[in-house]
Amino acid sequence: TFVAEFCCGFFVVLILGNFWFLAVLYLLWLYLDWETPCTGGRRSQWIRGWTVWKYFREYFPIHLIKTSDLNPNHNYLLGFHPHGVLVAGAFGNFCTGPSFKNLFPGLTPYLHIMPIWFVCPFFREYIMSAGMVSASKESVSYVLSNKGGGHASVIVIGGAEESLNAHPGSLTLNILKRKGFIKMALKHGAHLVPVFSFGENELFKQVANPKGSWLRNVQEKLQKIMGFALPLFHARGVFQYSFGLIPYRQPIHTVVGSPIPVKQNLNPTTEEIEQLHALYLQKLRQLFEEHKRNYGIPEHKSLIFE
């Protein structure tokens, strides 16, 4: 968000300063380039390989764990859980560094994020260069329509709403009513892959906001109006550990599960969507149960779907 604010501020400076003509040229570029976030984006391997991202991954540190091969002759829809506050595991593993390419050769990951971020001047160029694209239906369809295979749509299934559950130790996922990704996988015959990022909710402490509280009600109303959530969180500072906005140094292990084969069905029925959704939940829970002991989750703890 700091980078987004800086980019917007820089654009305002161009308008108000003596460089207004540059702002006009950029607005023309924005008009001509408006659909790019929905048509695969415009990634830059140079930016994705910046050294700063190496330090970013090592800070926590962030790890990507493979449990099964993914045949590059197919397209895949990777469901990422949980959202957390920062979605650090998704960014660190799918937008930076060589880990994904080394573990899954032949596959190109596309991290889908809220379309509103691509309205921000200059910031849109920055996030597209990292491999992020819009989370709109058109964008997901574009990625999954690659006839040669080799494309992987990464979708944070719980969305912004789930960030309000991002408390240390929380295992609550917003997924029971989220079935659009299932329908999309069926329409394109994209194999489904559950992904669970252990440690994602441990990076920040969030102000208590249980369901039904006045704070949670306000946050949910704002989320519906603006399209993104506003969790009230804090972590550590630069030189002290008691308060600040720098995330805690907690390891993140993003575990990529085995693919669920999906046969293309251009007009899936409600029953077919429900069946595949139930199977996905089963495989996601199985993935969590098989790996939770490795990452400090107590035996009695299990995922909560809501």
Side-chain angles (χ1 to χ4, degrees), residues 8-250:
C8 290
F10 180 68
F11 184 71
V12 172
V13 170
L14 289 180
I15 294 176
L16 299 179
N18 295 324
F19 302 98
W20 58 267
F21 62 93
L22 293 178
V24 172
L25 288 176
Y26 182 79
L27 287 175
L28 177 60
W29 161 258
L30 195 62
Y31 173 77
L32 296 174
D33 194 57
W34 190 256
E35 295 300 322
T36 301
C38 294
T39 54
R42 185 172 47 250
R43 68 182 58 217
S44 165
Q45 290 304 127
W46 175 66
I47 292 179
R48 286 168 60 89
W50 277 355
T51 302
V52 66
W53 303 135
K54 176 177 178 289
Y55 294 130
F56 171 79
R57 294 190 303 275
E58 292 177 351
Y59 171 80
F60 297 99
I62 296 175
H63 304 280
L64 185 65
I65 292 89
K66 170 184 176 180
T67 63
S68 176
D69 289 332
L70 297 182
N71 189 333
N73 293 325
H74 298 295
N75 292 318
Y76 297 88
L77 195 159
L78 277 61
F80 184 91
H81 312 270
H83 184 289
V85 171
L86 193 62
V87 205
F91 178 76
N93 286 311
F94 303 118
C95 295
T96 74
S99 295
F100 187 86
K101 183 178 180 180
N102 291 340
L103 292 177
F104 304 102
L107 281 183
T108 301
Y110 296 81
L111 179 59
H112 296 270
I113 63 175
M114 291 183 297
I116 191 172
W117 292 114
F118 296 98
V119 177
C120 182
F122 300 114
F123 183 68
R124 69 190 295 274
E125 322 303 334
Y126 165 70
I127 56 180
M128 275 197 290
S129 67
M132 290 183 241
V133 292
S134 173
S136 66
K137 292 180 180 179
E138 296 79 12
S139 178
V140 178
S141 290
Y142 183 91
V143 173
L144 297 181
S145 295
N146 188 42
K147 293 183 179 179
H151 282 189
S153 279
V154 183
I155 302 178
V156 185
I157 304 300
E161 182 182 358
E162 194 172 83
S163 68
L164 300 178
N165 291 328
H167 297 271
S170 173
L171 295 171
T172 301
L173 304 181
N174 291 67
I175 192 172
L176 291 182
K177 295 181 181 179
R178 296 180 181 265
K179 300 171 185 176
F181 74 104
I182 298 291
K183 187 174 182 179
M184 194 65 69
L186 282 166
K187 282 191 171 184
H188 294 280
H191 295 351
L192 281 167
V193 182
V195 178
F196 196 87
S197 195
F198 292 89
E200 199 74 44
N201 284 339
E202 317 305 314
L203 307 186
F204 296 93
K205 292 180 180 178
Q206 191 173 168
V207 175
N209 60 342
K211 284 193 175 286
S213 66
W214 69 269
L215 176 58
R216 186 59 167 259
N217 290 336
V218 170
Q219 288 175 319
E220 290 177 346
K221 288 180 181 178
L222 288 175
Q223 191 264 324
K224 291 179 180 178
I225 294 172
M226 299 184 298
F228 57 91
L230 293 173
L232 298 180
F233 60 88
H234 68 88
R236 54 164 289 187
V238 178
F239 302 110
Q240 43 76 30
Y241 292 82
S242 57
F243 188 82
L245 295 179
I246 297 177
Y248 293 115
R249 297 192 71 175
Q250 296 290 338

